[in-house]
Amino acid sequence: MAGVPSEDIAAQLLVTFVVEAQEHLRAMNRHLLALERGTEGEARESLLAEVFREAHSLKGAARAVNLVEVEARAHELEDVFARMKDGEVDPRADVLDDVYRTLDAIEESVQQVTGAHTGGVREAASGGEMVRRAKVSIPPPRLEEDTVRVATAKLDALMAEVGELLVARIGAEQRLAEINALEAALADWESAWKKLPPVPGPAREDGATRFQNEGEVRLGAALKAVGELRRTFQADTRRMAQITADLQGDVRRARMFPVATVFEAFPRMVRDLARDQGREVSLSSRGGEIEVDRSVLEQLKDPLTHLLRNCVDHGIEPPEARVAAGKPREGAISLSARQRGDMLVVEVADDGIGIDPERVRTSAVKKGLLAGDVAGELSEREVISLIFRSGLSTSPIITDVSGRGVGLDVVREVVERLHGSIDVRSERGRGTTFSFSLPLSVSTMQCLVLEAGGQTFALPLTSVERLVRLRPASIERAEGRDVVRLDDGPVVLTRLTDLLGIETPANGAEKAAGRPAIVLGGSSRRAAVLVDRLVRTQESLVKSLPEPLFRVRHVAGATVLGTGEAAIILSAADLLASVERVRAPALAIGETPEVGPATILIVEDSITTRTLEKNILEAAGYQVLTSADGGEAWSLLASDGCDLVVADIEMPGMDGFELTAKLRADKRFRDLPVVLVTARDSREDRERGIQVGADAYIVKGAFDQDRLLDTIRRLI
């Protein structure tokens, strides 16, 4: 068909278009956010001209690949921006909301184009003519590259081959050490041979003396030859190490991208979330030019998303509250990155309300994460570190944004999976700063090689806080545990073999004296782990475990030592978690008697919705009571009681708000969990839900049974 590009050319055009379109979309988002901040004069005119040009270019690119829908939407944007330039349309927030929705729709269409990598048939319309493309392979582009675009799979394969070369280099260094040992042994033999006494008497006649002399000469020659071999091998090893390091550095740099490629997505997200939550927030960022390995960068987005959402929803106060506290109406969030050695340090800070340690302490006890007496003994820093525990939240209500107690737990897990660490600093009324450190690359890492229980392990050095040699006076007993007394206080002491379940003869704390211990630290958790011997440190290639061993407790991967021996790379995060589990007598709430299934009361006037929710809850094993309005529900509660209430808001007679308020006013039901499930999704309704004392607020438009069940499980 005339004018229709070949399948190969079509595929190349679409790949180019996807990357170009994403660049145009990012630029338009960036310019609109700057415009929304109130830019005036020439800067405003420049921004309008730039955003118009981006829309025009996107329209032309979409037309070139026959994506009619994208072309039409880009044309709509072009028209709006032209009217803004001419002064016919004011770039107010409500107008820009429509523009942002159009940008999101275009982005969704572009993402659908990348779905063609499945190999199916894709059709694109152009004025009634259909261009048919079969088996078009379009890998979804991840990050920008200014010159040559190379498939990430090729870079991954190349890095794996460099890793094997690294293993060969480590092996060569081990052989060099063995040659050094052989040379030293020969030197000792030569020295001992020279000290042999002369052969006495008649033995001289049978050649013994001649043999002794010739042996000395030959041994000297062998020693010289080994010395030459050692020097040559040493030079070759140095050259190999240099080539390997250069090649590894070049490939690593090819895999690295600026942090800005992730940072650029957040201003829009913060802006939209702030508007939805009734906040006024500005986001500033710096350090976007720092380059990080692609694999690290891809895993960086989710933790940053959780932290920024946390800042907007938990940290920044409503404008009126900020003014009353003597602060600017607009809250400030900063996002920064900097390089420290071979580590990336990222900070997310806000100038909001800060973290209330007492609320965290109370929530931890209420959720059963700590016993009351233990919680009372924790320092303020230790209490704040509890926010990284799964299931803990200080939000007064569970919504689609927060209160589920999983956000910061996810952040901690991702950071520790990347062999990094995270910390939090907070001051009441002044704000909170989250800081975490990650390696710039995780394909190789410096590891400490150690022995425990007759086995050899490797431990990432990023997790090692310090090494100590135990002395009898430094080992104590506290709360039934061995602890080692360090300069900054006691740290729990445990044996690595105990954590890994390796059977060894029992040794008391007194026998630990003189042995090395590794102090692990991360996410405000510390522990000292006793090992048998510290071998050395080495750069190690990290190999993932094969299927089905993708996730094994205490194991972060495997590596090959210079001896050719395979060694497990230990997960410091898992080891620290195991230390916490060992402390169960102090942390656990004791055993509870076996009881029957919880009873849930559904309050819903729609018989269809009521039946649906009843079926979902009964299938999950709950006992269910139902009522059609708030008044009937109150009567049921007074007579039968229940463990949790799921209520609609809009009902005849007593609505859900009134029912919740009445429950909270009665001391019998003051602590009864209440989940509001409603179609009302405005910010004012959510805030009223908080005011009357609801524990969770679920919007029916975003309702799914897993979310309902997960919310209930967290409340009872």
Side-chain angles (χ1 to χ4, degrees), residues 387-438:
I387 63 176
F388 296 106
R389 298 282 291 273
S390 177
L392 190 141
S393 174
T394 58
S395 176
I397 190 170
I398 298 175
T399 68
D400 55 343
V401 176
S402 65
R404 302 170 68 80
V406 294
L408 293 179
D409 180 47
V410 168
V411 172
R412 177 182 60 80
E413 287 183 358
V414 172
V415 170
E416 291 181 343
R417 186 169 63 243
L418 290 170
H419 308 290
S421 61
I422 187 167
D423 191 24
V424 57
R425 305 183 303 277
S426 185
E427 184 178 352
R428 290 287 294 150
R430 301 292 298 274
T432 303
T433 299
F434 291 92
S435 176
F436 54 91
S437 300
L438 300 170

Side-chain angles (χ1 to χ4, degrees), residues 364-365 367-372 584-592:
V365 174
K367 297 292 185 182
L369 300 178
L370 285 177
L587 296 175
I589 302 299
E591 296 184 0
T592 56

Side-chain angles (χ1 to χ4, degrees), residues 156-308:
D156 291 342
L158 187 57
M159 178 56 81
E161 293 171 1
V162 172
E164 296 299 334
L165 186 58
L166 173 62
V167 172
R169 191 204 79 190
I170 294 173
E173 292 172 350
Q174 178 67 26
R175 301 294 87 75
L176 178 60
E178 293 168 0
I179 292 175
N180 286 331
L182 176 60
E183 184 180 23
L186 286 174
D188 288 342
W189 291 353
E190 182 188 40
S191 176
W193 193 283
K194 288 180 178 180
K195 293 178 182 178
L196 289 175
V199 178
R204 297 172 183 267
E205 304 302 327
D206 61 9
T209 299
R210 190 167 52 255
F211 172 79
Q212 184 175 351
N213 292 336
E214 288 179 358
E216 183 177 334
V217 172
R218 291 179 180 179
L219 190 56
L223 179 60
K224 182 179 179 181
V226 170
E228 289 294 330
L229 175 62
R230 188 259 307 163
R231 285 186 287 274
T232 303
F233 196 80
Q234 190 173 48
D236 291 344
T237 302
R238 279 198 299 265
R239 178 61 178 159
M240 182 180 183
Q242 184 62 52
I243 293 173
T244 303
D246 291 345
L247 181 58
Q248 184 180 11
D250 290 341
V251 176
R252 182 179 293 169
R253 282 188 289 274
R255 288 164 49 95
M256 298 181 86
F257 297 90
V259 175
T261 54
V262 169
F263 281 10
E264 286 179 351
F266 294 129
R268 258 295 304 278
M269 183 198 79
V270 170
R271 180 261 184 198
D272 293 345
L273 183 59
R275 282 180 59 81
D276 184 60
Q277 299 295 313
R279 308 288 199 267
E280 295 181 13
V281 182
S282 66
L283 173 65
S284 62
S285 64
R286 64 180 184 275
E289 72 280 0
I290 303 297
E291 292 193 335
V292 187
D293 189 282
R294 178 185 62 85
S295 61
V296 175
L297 201 56
E298 287 179 343
Q299 297 183 68
L300 188 62
K301 185 173 183 179
D302 282 348
L304 289 178
T305 298
H306 281 296
L307 291 177
L308 289 170

Side-chain angles (χ1 to χ4, degrees), residues 14 17-18 22 67 69-70 73 104-118 121-123 136 138 140-141:
L14 283 175
F17 166 76
V18 169
Q22 290 177 338
L67 293 178
E69 181 180 357
V70 174
R73 291 184 183 275
D104 291 342
I106 292 175
E107 184 174 11
E108 183 177 353
S109 297
V110 171
Q111 293 298 328
Q112 290 174 355
V113 171
T114 66
H117 73 281
T118 55
V121 176
R122 176 172 294 276
E123 296 179 337
V136 176
I138 307 174

